[in-house]
Amino acid sequence: MDKYGLIGYPLKHSFSITYFNEKFKAEGIDAEYVNFEIPNINDFPEVIEENPNLRGLNVTIPYKEQVIPFLNELEHDTAKIGAVNVIKIIRQPKGKIKLVGYNSDIIGFTQSIHPLLRPHHKKALILGTGGAAKAVYHGLYNLNIESTFVSRTHKADGILTYDELTPDLMKEYTVIVNCTPLGMFPKVDFCPDIPYEALTPNHLLYDLLYNPNVTLFMKKGEAQGAVTKNGLEMLLLQAFAAWEIWNK
């Protein structure tokens, strides 16, 4: 029986284990998906060695960047992002193993936002600077949208802080993507500190969060007539992409 799994720490709520095991059952696929909760990234080679039928892994916090030195190769876009959330395990002759890293967040995000884009959507603000934000940046770049990161503190040149978001700037940047955990259940009364009153029906607000279905960030955007979308479809699309990567 083939095996797939997830590495991370801690692994409390894993969407992947439920999704893939239900998929295997429904489609009659002789495989199982398991969680590998490893307290240290140095335990990663052990997971590979002790599971000879392991064909692929998902990677979650805090190992999306830490796992890279253990891999043999990175897919092109993934190398630019510098964060991996899918590993394909290729078992070669004489017991050799090749590990290739991919980022299915970029695939899921790009496929999910693309149908909502209009000709006036030329510039985007990305709220947050973590691994998911980097995937979003490269996804938007592939869609010919110029992006700027927004952070709570001044991190580097070219990164804006929230207090620099003027009405004029908001008029220019008509796509806003929330890559922060602000507003996630149970802290549903929080949202990123942007000037919501400057939003218009020309704006598209995309929230990577999906619990709750409609975040405060989205509600405040909708109140100004903006188009909004949560991250549930992206989550599903990146799971589809992972399955395709493992089986191509």
Side-chain angles (χ1 to χ4, degrees):
M1 183 193 282
D2 288 336
K3 192 186 277 187
Y4 301 87
L6 172 69
I7 62 162
Y9 189 83
L11 292 178
K12 287 181 203 139
H13 310 291
S14 160
F15 159 81
S16 302
I17 193 166
T18 310
Y19 170 80
F20 282 110
N21 282 322
E22 283 180 359
K23 175 186 174 70
F24 298 156
K25 195 176 173 185
E27 297 180 25
I29 298 165
D30 187 26
E32 65 169 342
Y33 191 102
V34 295
N35 282 349
F36 296 102
E37 193 172 42
I38 55 173
N40 191 299
I41 192 60
N42 293 319
D43 299 327
F44 173 71
E46 214 172 284
V47 171
I48 304 295
E49 285 162 24
E50 291 181 359
N51 296 278
N53 54 345
L54 194 60
R55 291 191 54 197
L57 286 167
N58 288 118
V59 185
T60 189
I61 293 164
Y63 300 135
K64 288 186 180 186
E65 289 155 347
Q66 293 180 34
V67 79
I68 291 173
F70 294 89
L71 307 179
N72 303 102
E73 199 178 294
L74 292 181
E75 180 272 333
H76 178 68
D77 269 341
T78 306
K80 287 191 216 162
I81 296 162
V84 163
N85 74 335
V86 177
I87 298 169
K88 182 171 184 171
I89 299 164
I90 303 164
R91 301 194 180 267
Q92 299 172 313
K94 296 180 182 173
K96 282 192 173 177
I97 297 168
K98 184 180 179 185
L99 303 175
V100 186
Y102 296 81
N103 191 305
S104 67
D105 281 341
I106 187 175
I107 303 165
F109 172 74
T110 307
Q111 291 177 348
S112 178
I113 198 168
H114 185 252
L116 301 174
L117 295 173
R118 300 293 173 262
H120 64 268
H121 292 138
K122 291 185 168 61
K123 286 187 169 186
L125 293 174
I126 299 172
L127 313 180
T129 55
K134 288 174 192 158
V136 163
Y137 178 89
H138 287 283
L140 290 169
Y141 175 82
N142 290 347
L143 293 166
N144 298 312
I145 293 175
E146 184 189 319
S147 302
T148 301
F149 291 105
V150 184
S151 172
R152 281 175 303 175
T153 54
H154 184 73
K155 291 198 169 180
D157 288 344
I159 296 180
L160 296 168
T161 56
Y162 285 94
D163 54 12
E164 291 176 298
L165 302 180
T166 61
D168 282 349
L169 199 105
M170 295 297 286
K171 197 182 284 186
E172 200 183 336
Y173 288 83
T174 50
V175 178
I176 303 170
V177 185
N178 178 34
C179 302
T180 78
L182 283 170
M184 186 162 65
F185 182 84
K187 297 185 176 178
V188 297
D189 297 328
F190 292 83
C191 61
D193 187 18
I194 65 169
Y196 292 93
E197 67 283 356
L199 298 175
T200 67
N202 278 341
H203 282 84
L204 165 59
L205 270 61
Y206 192 108
D207 201 331
L208 262 58
L209 302 177
Y210 52 87
N211 184 11
N213 268 334
V214 182
T215 60
L216 187 57
F217 169 74
M218 292 166 65
K219 279 180 193 165
K220 289 192 165 197
E222 286 168 7
Q224 299 294 120
V227 174
T228 66
K229 183 156 188 165
N230 72 16
L232 185 60
E233 185 187 47
M234 172 182 165
L235 186 75
L236 291 168
L237 289 169
Q238 64 91 6
F240 298 163
W243 181 247
E244 284 181 5
I245 289 162
W246 293 330
N247 289 281
K248 69 181 179 186

